[in-house]
Amino acid sequence: MPLTLRRNRDRDLGPLAAMLPPNEIPLINPNAKVPFDEMEWHRKWLGDLDDVSFYLQDETGQDVGFFALRVGVGPEVRHLTYAFLIEEARGGAGAELTECVEQAARDLGALTLTLKVEVDNAPAVNAYRSAGYEELSRRQGMATMRLDLEERRAA
């Protein structure tokens, strides 16, 4: 399924709320309230001025995913804070998701992309490894991973 990127310039979280089933909120953000609280997300989870979020759309223009990038250690580093695909878009879309995340990070001037992923989330861990991310560490059930965007572009 070809995915296209739509930058969330208005910081509209309504489409995310519509896509995200209550039982999956802890998967994308274990600390968030259930049911989805748009004001909480604006205030706590996507409230930094440098946070940038995106929706992923399928070929019909329907929103099928979401991710957010935060400035990491310095403006040349972006940190993937949230990534979500609706169930119907899963199963092979991991490569497209990671390509969209990389492109968005490059468009924001990033040279490096980092993320944390639950080690028990094998599909996500495998998608990031397949995309070339290296695992830096594991702590408290989370793996910290990194991708050098400059090195990737040169390859």
Side-chain angles (χ1 to χ4, degrees), residues 23 85 96 98 109 111 113 137:
N23 65 321
L85 287 171
E96 280 192 81
T98 58
L111 302 176
L113 193 51
S137 66

Side-chain angles (χ1 to χ4, degrees), residues 32-74:
K33 291 180 193 172
V34 176
F36 189 89
D37 181 339
E38 196 168 329
M39 290 308 296
E40 175 195 32
W41 280 70
H42 277 292
R43 201 174 51 254
K44 289 184 178 178
W45 316 122
L46 294 166
D48 288 356
L49 291 177
D50 293 324
D51 287 348
V52 182
S53 59
F54 298 85
Y55 285 99
L56 296 163
Q57 297 179 316
D58 66 12
E59 62 276 355
T60 69
Q62 178 183 337
D63 292 324
V64 296
F66 175 87
F67 68 89
L69 296 170
R70 176 168 278 168
V71 171
V73 181

Side-chain angles (χ1 to χ4, degrees), residues 55-142:
Y55 285 99
L56 296 163
Q57 297 179 316
D58 66 12
E59 62 276 355
T60 69
Q62 178 183 337
D63 292 324
V64 296
F66 175 87
F67 68 89
L69 296 170
R70 176 168 278 168
V71 171
V73 181
E76 71 282 350
V77 177
R78 285 287 171 159
H79 184 76
L80 178 63
T81 53
Y82 307 106
F84 174 76
L85 287 171
I86 63 170
E87 188 171 346
E88 297 81 17
R90 296 176 193 161
E96 280 192 81
L97 171 64
T98 58
E99 287 174 22
C100 289
V101 170
E102 289 172 36
Q103 186 58 53
R106 278 191 195 97
D107 291 347
L108 293 167
L111 302 176
T112 303
L113 193 51
T114 62
L115 60 87
K116 290 188 179 200
V117 61
E118 291 186 27
V119 295
D120 293 342
N121 187 346
V125 171
N126 291 335
Y128 295 128
R129 281 191 181 134
S130 294
Y133 285 77
E134 65 177 314
E135 189 173 312
L136 301 175
S137 66
R138 284 187 179 210
R139 288 191 189 112
Q140 299 174 344
M142 300 292 286

